[in-house]
């Protein structure tokens, strides 16, 4: 049973009255609904939202554009060290900048998505990205979303949520999302791609996708985004009644 709170009960003012600036970690596989949910949650709480996948995507774009092989570990690490990736929240939405250039749309291209795995499984690249993400999240009042936030980036996060959904539901969501963008894809290969990404994300030795021991599990298969946000708000309220009244 999901207890719904009104916007008034959860106004920014109530959060700002308290000194607490929680770090909320949201992890889960592709298509679990975590990006939309995390973004809406952050907006509702007046917190900063950080999509950590954008870091791995932006670096991958840079590697591909430079004609470097994603498998060339040493060169990829050098690039990671010398690359500036920033995310700015603008009125029209979050924008991702790679060395000062807006790459928000480019980092979502399928050829980028398909080239990420060797880069995101490189432990030295992960260490660089994790440090940058910690710097951004350290002062709190943040909703950070990814694969290893509750386990590696912020193992002491105030609230950890692990979102999941059945593979069929996730493939269905992706199929619909692509249709909305005017892209027609067969369901079966799309489902296979998601299964492959799951496999790569969970099997890598550095920062694998897995729930932290103290994560709250959230299966979103039959839930709307609004229900997902409500669920997390309730979990936050349970842990910090003084923060969310
Ligand atoms: O969440 P996303 O689909 O935008 O993530 C893109 C890729 O980056 C995905 O292949 C998993 C990887 N990733 C990661 O390894 N660690 C994170 N914290 C976030 C994303």
């Amino acid at each position: 049973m999901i207890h719904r709170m009104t916007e008034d009960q959860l106004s920014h003012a109530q959060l700002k009255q308290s000194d607490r600036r929680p770090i909320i970690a949201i992890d889960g596989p592709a298509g679990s609904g975590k990006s939309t949910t995390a973004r809406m949650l952050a907006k509702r709480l007046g917190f900063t939202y950080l999509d950590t996948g954008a870091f791995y995507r932006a670096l991958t774009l840079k590697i591909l554009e430079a004609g470097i092989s994603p498998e060339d570990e040493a060169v990829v690490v050098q690039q990671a060290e010398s690359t500036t990736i920033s995310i700015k929240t603008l009125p029209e939405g979050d924008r991702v900048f790679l060395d000062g250039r807006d790459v928000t749309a480019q980092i979502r291209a399928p050829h980028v998505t398909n080239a990420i795995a060797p880069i995101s499984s490189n432990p030295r690249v992960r260490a660089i990205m994790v440090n940058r993400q910690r710097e951004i999240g350290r002062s709190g009042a943040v909703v950070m979303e990814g694969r290893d936030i509750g386990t590696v980036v912020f193992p002491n996060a105030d609230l950890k949520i692990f979102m999941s959904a059945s593979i069929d539901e996730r493939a269905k969501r992706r199929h619909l999302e692509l249709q909305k963008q005017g892209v027609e894809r067969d369901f079966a290969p799309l489902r296979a791609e998601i299964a492959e990404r799951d496999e790569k994300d969970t099997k890598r030795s550095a920062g694998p996708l897995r729930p932290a021991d103290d994560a709250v599990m959230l299966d979103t298969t039959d839930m709307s985004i609004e229900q997902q946000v409500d669920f997390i708000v309730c979990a936050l309220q349970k842990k910090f009644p003084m923060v969310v009244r």
Side-chain angles (χ1 to χ4, degrees), residues 8 19 54 122 131 161 176 244:
D8 283 342
D19 289 337
N122 179 325
N131 274 337
I161 306 285
L176 254 174
V244 185

Side-chain angles (χ1 to χ4, degrees), residues 26-242:
I26 302 185
D27 290 303
S32 56
K34 62 185 188 327
S35 299
T36 314
T37 301
R39 197 177 301 116
M40 278 181 66
L41 177 73
K43 197 168 172 210
R44 200 151 136 184
L45 298 172
F47 284 14
T48 300
Y49 161 68
L50 193 75
D51 161 17
T52 60
F55 285 75
Y56 296 96
R57 288 179 176 277
L59 178 62
T60 303
L61 177 69
K62 176 155 179 171
I63 300 295
L64 294 178
E65 284 181 345
I68 298 163
S69 162
E71 317 277 346
D72 190 339
E73 290 192 24
V75 181
V76 169
V77 171
Q78 267 174 16
Q79 292 292 319
E81 277 165 349
S82 61
T83 299
T84 311
I85 299 165
S86 59
I87 303 179
K88 291 189 185 137
T89 301
L90 301 176
E92 65 270 25
D94 280 359
R95 310 296 300 176
V96 182
F97 294 86
L98 171 66
D99 296 325
R101 175 167 61 105
D102 187 336
V103 292
T104 313
Q106 291 94 310
I107 61 169
R108 305 279 154 200
H111 74 280
V112 174
T113 305
N114 295 335
I116 298 172
I119 295 170
S120 67
S121 59
N122 179 325
R124 288 166 65 200
V125 167
R126 293 202 75 83
I128 295 165
M129 296 298 165
V130 165
N131 274 337
R132 293 186 187 171
Q133 291 156 14
R134 283 184 183 146
E135 263 166 43
I136 298 170
R138 156 171 319 142
S139 53
V142 66
V143 179
M144 199 173 282
E145 168 254 296
R147 305 292 190 287
D148 58 342
I149 312 304
T151 49
V152 178
V153 182
F154 284 113
N156 296 324
D158 299 278
L159 178 67
K160 300 177 189 177
I161 306 285
F162 191 88
M163 292 178 64
S164 59
S166 71
I167 177 111
D168 282 324
E169 175 62 23
R170 292 189 286 127
K172 213 166 80 189
R173 288 175 187 170
R174 183 74 189 127
H175 196 239
L176 254 174
E177 193 183 310
L178 287 171
Q179 266 180 345
K180 278 189 201 153
Q181 296 165 9
V183 181
E184 267 312 324
R185 286 283 312 273
D186 284 339
F187 185 79
L190 207 58
R191 188 186 185 282
E193 272 171 30
I194 292 181
E196 195 188 324
R197 274 177 78 191
D198 284 358
E199 170 92 4
K200 285 180 178 156
D201 280 348
T202 51
K203 295 277 162 65
R204 67 169 174 245
S205 53
L209 170 67
R210 68 168 180 85
D213 293 339
D214 53 349
V216 177
M217 304 300 286
L218 175 57
D219 183 340
T220 68
T221 305
D222 298 310
M223 288 172 87
S224 69
I225 296 289
E226 203 181 32
Q227 287 173 326
Q228 295 166 33
V229 176
D230 284 345
F231 178 97
I232 301 174
V233 166
C234 286
L236 186 65
Q237 187 191 31
K238 266 190 214 148
K239 271 197 109 167
F240 301 104
M242 298 304 290

